[in-house]
Amino acid sequence: MSIFTMNRRRFVLGTAALGGMAATHSLIGVQAGLAQDVAKVRMQLGWLASNGILGEVAAIKKGFFAEEGVELEIVPGGPNIDGVAGVAAGQSQLGLTSSSPAIMLARSAGIPIKAFLAGYQKHPFSYFSLGKNPIRTPQDMIGKTVATQPSAVILLRALLAANGIAEDQVTIVNMGADMNQLLTGQADVVTGWNTNVEAMQILGPDAVELMLWDAGLQLYANVYFATDDQIANHGDVLARFTRAAAKGWAYVRDNHEEGVDMLVEAYPNMQRAPELLAVEAVSNYSFGETTKADGWGTMSRALWEAQIKTYADLGQFSGTVPTLDDIVTFSVLDATVDARKAVS
C-alpha cells in the first residue's frame, strides 16, 4: 500500500462526517463585525504561515481589507491540522491550500468545497538534485531514489505516469521539510517549493532543479476555497476579500522589501534574508501573462479539467470523479474582474 493511499484513507475517514454535516446544515456565515458593515473573516491555512500569505499580510497592514469592510484573521495550520475540514465545519469562512489536488480529492470524498481563486499561476514544486548526479528530465529519475514528503507522493506518481515511467523504476522514500538526504547520499532527488529559499540554501550553488510544471504536470498553488454555502450566501464578502487581497499582492510585487518587513513583523519566526531572496519568485508566480489578461487570481477551465483527468486516470478519487463545476466557481472572479485587472 502506498503512502499516499494511506494518507488519502485517513483524509476520507476524517472528513466524511464533516462533509455530511456541511451538506445538511447551513454553516455559520460571515460573522457580525464591530460595525454593521464589517465582516469578520477567518482564513485557514493548510500549513504554517509562510511567504504564501505576503499579500494578505500587506493588505492587513496597509488597510486594504479595512477599506473593503473585512476584518481578516489568518489562522495557521500545521502537521496535525486539516485545513479543509476546518473550513467544511464552519470554523473558518475560507481556506488557503498549497495545491489544487486537495480541492479535487475533498470534493470526491463528499466535502462541499470549491476553489474560487488561484493565487499562484504556476506551481513552485520542484525536484532538486546535485550537479554530480543531475536529474534534468523525468526520465533521469529511472533507477534513482527520490525522497519526497508523504503528501507529495501523489505528485510524483502523477509525474511518472504523465511521462510513461513505471513506478517500480523509481525508489520512493519519505522526507521531512529539510533536504539533507540529498547531501548525505540517502537520496538522488529531494523535493520542495523553490520559494522556500531557506531550505534550499543548504544545497548550495551545485543544485539542479526540475520544476513539476516544466516536467509535464501543471497544477495551481495557493488555492483559495470556501464551502458551497459560503459561496452561495456570502459571495459578496468573498468578493470584498478578493479585491483587498489583490491589492495586497500587487503592493508586495511593487514593494519587495516593505512586503517582507511586514511579513517578518507579523511572524517573527521567519527570517528576513531568505524571504528577501524569495519574494521576487513569489511575486512572479502571482503575476504573469495570464493575470495581465484576466487579473490576479484568475483560473483556467482547461487547466482544471486537465488536472481532473490526470487524477482520474491515476484512480485517485475515492468517490465519484468530480466535474469542473463540482470543484471550481468562477462567480467571485467574475464579480471582481475590474479590480483584479486594475492591479495586474
Side-chain angles (χ1 to χ4, degrees), residues 197-233:
V197 173
E198 188 171 5
M200 288 169 50
Q201 284 180 324
I202 192 175
L203 301 182
D206 194 35
V208 175
E209 178 183 355
L210 172 64
M211 281 190 66
L212 183 72
W213 183 279
D214 296 334
L217 188 59
Q218 299 181 343
L219 307 172
Y220 283 124
N222 258 32
V223 181
Y224 299 78
F225 65 95
T227 62
D228 294 351
D229 179 271
Q230 292 290 338
I231 293 165
N233 297 311

Coordinates of all heavy atoms in Angstrom, one line a residue, residues 197-233:
V197 N 13.3 29.4 0.1 CA 14.8 29.6 -0.2 C 15.6 29.2 1.0 O 16.7 28.7 0.9 CB 15.0 31.1 -0.5 CG1 16.5 31.4 -0.5 CG2 14.3 31.5 -1.8
E198 N 15.1 29.4 2.2 CA 15.8 29.0 3.4 C 16.2 27.5 3.4 O 17.3 27.1 3.8 CB 15.0 29.3 4.7 CG 15.7 29.2 6.0 CD 15.0 29.7 7.2 OE1 13.8 30.1 7.0 OE2 15.6 29.7 8.3
A199 N 15.2 26.6 3.0 CA 15.5 25.2 2.9 C 16.5 24.9 1.8 O 17.3 24.0 1.9 CB 14.2 24.4 2.8
M200 N 16.3 25.6 0.7 CA 17.1 25.3 -0.5 C 18.6 25.7 -0.3 O 19.5 25.2 -1.0 CB 16.6 26.0 -1.7 CG 15.3 25.5 -2.2 SD 14.5 26.6 -3.5 CE 15.9 26.9 -4.5
Q201 N 18.9 26.7 0.6 CA 20.2 27.2 0.7 C 21.2 26.2 1.1 O 22.4 26.3 0.7 CB 20.2 28.4 1.7 CG 19.7 29.7 1.2 CD 19.7 30.8 2.2 OE1 19.5 30.5 3.4 NE2 19.9 32.0 1.8
I202 N 20.8 25.1 1.8 CA 21.7 24.1 2.2 C 22.3 23.3 1.0 O 23.4 22.7 1.1 CB 21.0 23.1 3.1 CG1 22.0 22.2 3.8 CG2 19.9 22.3 2.4 CD1 21.3 21.2 4.9
L203 N 21.7 23.4 -0.1 CA 22.1 22.6 -1.3 C 23.3 23.3 -2.0 O 24.0 22.7 -2.7 CB 21.0 22.4 -2.3 CG 19.7 21.7 -1.8 CD1 18.7 21.5 -2.9 CD2 20.1 20.3 -1.2
G204 N 23.4 24.6 -1.8 CA 24.5 25.4 -2.4 C 24.3 25.6 -3.9 O 23.3 25.3 -4.5
P205 N 25.3 26.2 -4.6 CA 25.2 26.5 -6.0 C 25.2 25.4 -7.0 O 24.9 25.5 -8.2 CB 26.5 27.4 -6.2 CG 27.5 26.9 -5.2 CD 26.6 26.5 -4.0
D206 N 25.5 24.2 -6.5 CA 25.5 23.0 -7.3 C 24.2 22.3 -7.6 O 24.0 21.3 -8.3 CB 26.5 22.0 -6.7 CG 26.9 20.9 -7.7 OD1 27.0 21.2 -8.9 OD2 27.1 19.7 -7.3
A207 N 23.1 22.9 -7.0 CA 21.8 22.3 -7.1 C 21.2 22.4 -8.5 O 21.5 23.4 -9.2 CB 20.8 23.0 -6.1
V208 N 20.6 21.3 -8.9 CA 19.9 21.2 -10.2 C 18.4 21.1 -9.9 O 18.0 20.3 -9.1 CB 20.4 20.0 -11.0 CG1 19.6 19.9 -12.3 CG2 21.9 20.2 -11.3
E209 N 17.6 21.9 -10.6 CA 16.2 22.0 -10.3 C 15.4 21.5 -11.5 O 15.6 22.0 -12.7 CB 15.7 23.4 -9.9 CG 14.2 23.5 -9.7 CD 13.8 24.9 -9.3 OE1 14.7 25.8 -9.2 OE2 12.6 25.2 -9.2
L210 N 14.4 20.6 -11.3 CA 13.4 20.2 -12.3 C 12.0 20.6 -11.7 O 11.6 20.0 -10.8 CB 13.5 18.7 -12.6 CG 12.4 18.1 -13.5 CD1 12.5 18.7 -14.9 CD2 12.5 16.6 -13.5
M211 N 11.4 21.6 -12.3 CA 10.1 22.0 -11.8 C 9.0 21.0 -12.3 O 9.0 20.5 -13.4 CB 9.7 23.4 -12.4 CG 10.4 24.6 -11.6 SD 9.6 26.2 -12.1 CE 7.9 26.0 -11.5
L212 N 8.1 20.7 -11.4 CA 7.0 19.9 -11.7 C 6.2 20.4 -12.9 O 5.8 19.6 -13.8 CB 6.0 19.8 -10.5 CG 4.8 18.9 -10.6 CD1 5.2 17.4 -10.5 CD2 3.8 19.2 -9.4
W213 N 6.0 21.7 -13.0 CA 5.3 22.3 -14.1 C 6.0 22.0 -15.4 O 5.3 21.6 -16.4 CB 5.2 23.8 -13.8 CG 4.4 24.6 -14.8 CD1 4.8 25.0 -16.0 CD2 3.0 25.0 -14.7 NE1 3.8 25.7 -16.7 CE2 2.7 25.7 -15.9 CE3 2.1 24.9 -13.7 CZ2 1.5 26.3 -16.1 CZ3 0.8 25.5 -13.9 CH2 0.5 26.2 -15.0
D214 N 7.3 22.2 -15.4 CA 8.0 22.0 -16.7 C 8.1 20.5 -17.1 O 8.4 20.2 -18.2 CB 9.4 22.6 -16.6 CG 9.4 24.1 -16.4 OD1 8.4 24.8 -16.8 OD2 10.3 24.7 -15.8
A215 N 7.9 19.6 -16.1 CA 8.1 18.2 -16.3 C 6.8 17.6 -16.8 O 6.7 16.4 -17.0 CB 8.6 17.5 -15.1
G216 N 5.7 18.4 -17.0 CA 4.5 17.8 -17.6 C 3.3 17.7 -16.7 O 2.3 17.3 -17.1
L217 N 3.4 18.2 -15.4 CA 2.3 18.2 -14.5 C 2.0 19.6 -14.1 O 2.7 20.1 -13.3 CB 2.5 17.2 -13.4 CG 1.3 17.0 -12.4 CD1 0.2 16.3 -13.2 CD2 1.7 16.1 -11.3
Q218 N 0.9 20.2 -14.6 CA 0.7 21.6 -14.3 C -0.5 21.7 -13.4 O -1.7 21.4 -13.7 CB 0.4 22.3 -15.7 CG 1.6 22.2 -16.6 CD 1.4 23.0 -17.9 OE1 0.3 23.3 -18.3 NE2 2.6 23.2 -18.6
L219 N -0.2 22.2 -12.2 CA -1.2 22.4 -11.1 C -1.2 23.8 -10.6 O -0.2 24.5 -10.8 CB -0.8 21.5 -9.9 CG -0.6 20.0 -10.2 CD1 -0.1 19.3 -9.0 CD2 -1.9 19.3 -10.7
Y220 N -2.3 24.2 -10.0 CA -2.3 25.5 -9.3 C -1.8 25.4 -7.9 O -1.9 24.3 -7.3 CB -3.7 26.0 -9.3 CG -4.2 26.6 -10.6 CD1 -5.4 26.2 -11.2 CD2 -3.5 27.7 -11.2 CE1 -5.9 26.7 -12.3 CE2 -4.0 28.2 -12.4 CZ -5.2 27.7 -13.0 OH -5.6 28.3 -14.1
A221 N -1.2 26.5 -7.4 CA -0.8 26.5 -6.0 C -1.4 27.7 -5.3 O -1.9 28.6 -6.0 CB 0.7 26.6 -5.9
N222 N -1.4 27.7 -4.0 CA -2.0 28.8 -3.2 C -3.5 29.0 -3.7 O -3.8 30.1 -4.1 CB -1.2 30.1 -3.3 CG -0.4 30.4 -2.1 OD1 0.1 29.4 -1.4 ND2 -0.2 31.6 -1.8
V223 N -4.2 28.0 -3.5 CA -5.6 28.0 -4.0 C -6.6 28.3 -2.8 O -6.5 27.7 -1.8 CB -6.0 26.6 -4.6 CG1 -7.5 26.6 -5.1 CG2 -5.1 26.2 -5.7
Y224 N -7.4 29.3 -3.1 CA -8.4 29.8 -2.1 C -9.7 29.1 -2.3 O -10.1 28.9 -3.5 CB -8.6 31.3 -2.3 CG -7.4 32.2 -2.1 CD1 -6.4 32.3 -3.1 CD2 -7.2 32.9 -0.9 CE1 -5.3 33.1 -2.9 CE2 -6.1 33.7 -0.7 CZ -5.1 33.8 -1.7 OH -4.0 34.6 -1.5
F225 N -10.3 28.6 -1.2 CA -11.5 27.9 -1.4 C -12.5 28.2 -0.2 O -12.1 28.8 0.8 CB -11.2 26.3 -1.3 CG -10.7 25.8 0.0 CD1 -11.5 25.3 0.9 CD2 -9.3 25.9 0.2 CE1 -11.0 24.8 2.1 CE2 -8.8 25.4 1.4 CZ -9.6 24.9 2.4
A226 N -13.8 27.9 -0.5 CA -14.8 28.1 0.5 C -15.9 27.0 0.3 O -15.9 26.3 -0.7 CB -15.4 29.5 0.4
T227 N -16.8 26.9 1.2 CA -17.9 25.9 1.1 C -18.9 26.4 0.1 O -19.0 27.6 -0.2 CB -18.6 25.6 2.4 OG1 -19.2 26.9 2.9 CG2 -17.6 25.1 3.4
D228 N -19.7 25.5 -0.4 CA -20.8 25.9 -1.3 C -21.7 26.9 -0.6 O -22.2 27.8 -1.3 CB -21.7 24.6 -1.7 CG -20.9 23.6 -2.5 OD1 -19.8 24.0 -3.0 OD2 -21.4 22.5 -2.7
D229 N -22.0 26.7 0.7 CA -22.8 27.6 1.4 C -22.3 29.0 1.5 O -23.0 30.0 1.2 CB -23.0 27.1 2.9 CG -23.9 28.0 3.7 OD1 -23.4 28.9 4.3 OD2 -25.1 27.7 3.7
Q230 N -21.0 29.2 1.7 CA -20.4 30.5 1.8 C -20.4 31.2 0.4 O -20.7 32.4 0.3 CB -18.9 30.4 2.3 CG -18.7 30.0 3.7 CD -19.2 31.1 4.7 OE1 -19.2 32.2 4.3 NE2 -19.5 30.6 5.9
I231 N -20.2 30.4 -0.6 CA -20.2 31.0 -2.0 C -21.6 31.4 -2.4 O -21.7 32.5 -2.9 CB -19.6 29.9 -3.0 CG1 -18.1 29.7 -2.7 CG2 -19.8 30.4 -4.4 CD1 -17.6 28.5 -3.4
A232 N -22.6 30.6 -2.0 CA -23.9 31.0 -2.4 C -24.5 32.1 -1.6 O -25.2 33.0 -2.1 CB -24.8 29.7 -2.3
N233 N -24.2 32.1 -0.3 CA -24.9 33.1 0.6 C -24.0 34.3 1.0 O -24.5 35.3 1.6 CB -25.4 32.4 1.9 CG -26.4 31.3 1.5 OD1 -27.3 31.6 0.8 ND2 -26.2 30.1 2.0

